[in-house]
């Protein structure tokens, strides 16, 4: 009989170092909120099996880029992992169990699969929290190799990276120094928080306040120092009729960011909920 596969406890995550957070297990923990019956061992075993299938291919004296090319060929061509171009905003693209089951995802969820598989094979692949589109990077002899997991791990040139970054920098292309800063490795905490923010954004667009509250709550568990998560959970609580929670979270937000751009609007909401009786326990 196999030992139980235990995922982390949400209440312990803030105490982990930024890269001590287990990437796969915490991504599955996020998914378990939506899929309470998921078997985390099955997904860990799937990645283990993928690595075992690849290992003989990578034996011998081949360099890192060649190894990564073989991994990407297996992951994207043989197994069929792909970016979901037709239903990009489907929340299933952000839940790692669904990504591994359906072999469809968005850049960040495909990057997590690629990172987890590649690291099992001894390659130092990292995520890059690039503006607009998550990427991955591998150190090589003459610098770094940057790849796009949404497009089968295609390498991305420095010129293309500058062009991609430009709309997020007021239309100005970054210089080489700025680009290197943008391409810094993303910690596990940054990756997991970005996955949760993506989900929160999707649920905000749908006015799915229960899931907005849940994803904001999980963001607070992972990164309690991000005031926007307290604001968003407070606004969701307000919509759900949980007035006490809304008051506490909005007050926390305004105390943490007294000069926020939306300070006046949030103060008005706080005054409103302070005079409202709670509908929920």
């Amino acid at each position: 009989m196999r030992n139980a596969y235990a995922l982390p406890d949400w209440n312990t995550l803030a105490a982990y170092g930024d890269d001590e957070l287990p990437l796969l297990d915490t991504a599955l923990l996020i998914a378990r909120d939506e899929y309470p019956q998921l078997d985390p061992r099955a997904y860990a075993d799937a990645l283990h099996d993928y690595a075992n299938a690849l290992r003989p291919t990578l034996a011998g004296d081949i360099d890192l880029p060649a190894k990564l090319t073989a991994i990407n060929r297996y992951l994207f061509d043989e197994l069929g992992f792909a970016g979901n171009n037709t239903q990009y905003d489907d929340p299933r693209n952000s839940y790692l169990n669904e990504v591994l089951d359906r072999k469809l995802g968005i850049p960040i969820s495909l990057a997590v699969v690629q990172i987890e598989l590649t690291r099992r094979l001894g390659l130092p692949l990292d995520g890059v929290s690039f503006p607009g589109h998550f990427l991955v990077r591998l150190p090589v002899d003459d610098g770094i190799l940057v790849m796009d997991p949404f497009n089968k791990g295609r390498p991305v040139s420095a010129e293309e990276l500058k062009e991609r970054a430009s709309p997020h920098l007021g239309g100005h292309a970054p210089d080489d120094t700025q680009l290197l800063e943008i391409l810094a490795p993303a910690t596990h905490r940054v990756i997991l928080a970005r996955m949760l923010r993506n989900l929160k954004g999707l649920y905000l667009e749908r006015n799915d306040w229960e899931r907005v509250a849940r994803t904001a709550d999980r963001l607070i568990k992972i990164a309690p120092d991000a005031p926007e998560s307290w604001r968003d959970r407070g606004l969701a609580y307000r919509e759900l009729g949980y007035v006490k929670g809304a008051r506490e979270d909005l007050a926390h937000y305004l105390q943490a960011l007294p000069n926020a751009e939306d300070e006046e609007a949030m103060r008005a909401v706080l005054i409103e909920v302070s005079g409202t009786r709670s509908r929920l326990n």
Side-chain angles (χ1 to χ4, degrees):
M1 183 175 177
R2 297 188 305 178
N3 294 329
Y5 190 108
L7 293 178
D9 185 306
W10 279 110
N11 294 317
T12 67
L13 296 184
Y16 281 81
D18 288 350
D19 272 324
E20 292 175 350
L21 276 169
L23 184 58
L24 173 67
D25 288 356
T26 310
L28 290 172
L29 187 65
I30 293 169
R32 193 172 65 180
D33 279 339
E34 188 71 15
Y35 304 91
Q37 303 305 316
L38 75 78
D39 177 7
R41 181 183 289 277
Y43 298 104
D45 286 350
L47 285 164
H48 180 73
D49 291 343
Y50 293 162
N52 283 342
L54 265 168
R55 202 163 274 112
T57 308
L58 306 181
D61 188 20
I62 58 175
D63 60 18
L64 286 182
K67 288 182 178 180
L68 192 59
T69 297
I71 293 169
N72 287 343
R73 187 182 303 117
Y74 176 75
L75 188 63
F76 298 111
D77 294 335
E78 294 185 37
L79 293 178
F81 280 88
N84 193 344
N85 284 294
T86 58
Q87 294 178 304
Y88 192 92
D89 292 335
D90 187 331
R92 292 178 294 177
N93 296 328
S94 293
Y95 289 117
L96 206 65
N97 60 320
E98 288 280 8
V99 176
L100 287 161
D101 286 342
R102 301 167 71 229
K103 296 183 170 60
L104 284 173
I106 55 175
I108 193 166
S109 57
L110 291 169
V112 170
V113 174
Q114 192 180 16
I115 288 167
E116 285 292 322
L117 174 58
T118 302
R119 287 181 179 174
R120 280 165 170 73
L121 293 161
L123 275 70
L125 192 70
D126 286 310
V128 175
S129 196
F130 200 80
H133 191 115
F134 201 86
L135 301 169
V136 295
R137 54 169 278 167
L138 181 77
V140 292
D141 289 341
D142 54 351
I144 56 173
L145 177 62
V146 180
M147 292 149 288
D148 183 353
F150 193 71
N151 291 291
K152 297 187 174 185
R154 178 179 68 82
V156 187
S157 69
E159 291 72 21
E160 183 178 345
L161 289 166
K162 290 178 180 180
E163 184 178 340
R164 287 191 186 192
S166 176
H168 304 277
L169 300 173
H172 303 291
D175 60 28
D176 290 344
T177 301
Q178 291 172 316
L179 183 60
L180 282 174
E181 291 174 357
I182 294 170
L183 294 175
T187 67
H188 292 180
R189 193 178 306 278
V190 165
I191 295 171
L192 294 160
R194 183 162 170 169
M195 292 178 79
L196 282 164
R197 283 196 302 272
N198 287 344
L199 281 165
K200 178 163 62 68
L202 293 176
Y203 292 135
L204 273 167
E205 290 174 2
R206 301 169 186 212
N207 294 326
D208 187 341
W209 297 110
E210 183 178 343
R211 288 181 171 85
V212 171
R214 185 182 75 198
T215 50
D217 177 77
R218 298 322 197 190
L219 272 163
I220 290 168
K221 293 291 197 302
I222 283 181
D225 294 333
E228 293 81 4
S229 301
W230 295 84
R231 176 198 62 197
D232 293 344
R233 189 177 70 174
L235 292 173
Y237 282 165
R238 171 205 186 200
E239 296 294 329
L240 294 168
Y242 178 28
V243 174
K244 180 176 182 291
R247 280 200 306 263
E248 291 174 353
D249 281 0
L250 292 172
H252 181 100
Y253 171 69
L254 289 168
Q255 183 177 15
L257 279 183
N259 298 313
E261 289 185 4
D262 58 357
E263 182 265 345
E264 185 176 344
M266 290 303 103
R267 215 166 273 288
V269 175
L270 181 58
I271 292 170
E272 172 206 314
V273 296
S274 295
T276 304
R277 293 183 64 186
S278 180
R279 297 195 305 269
L280 295 177
N281 185 334

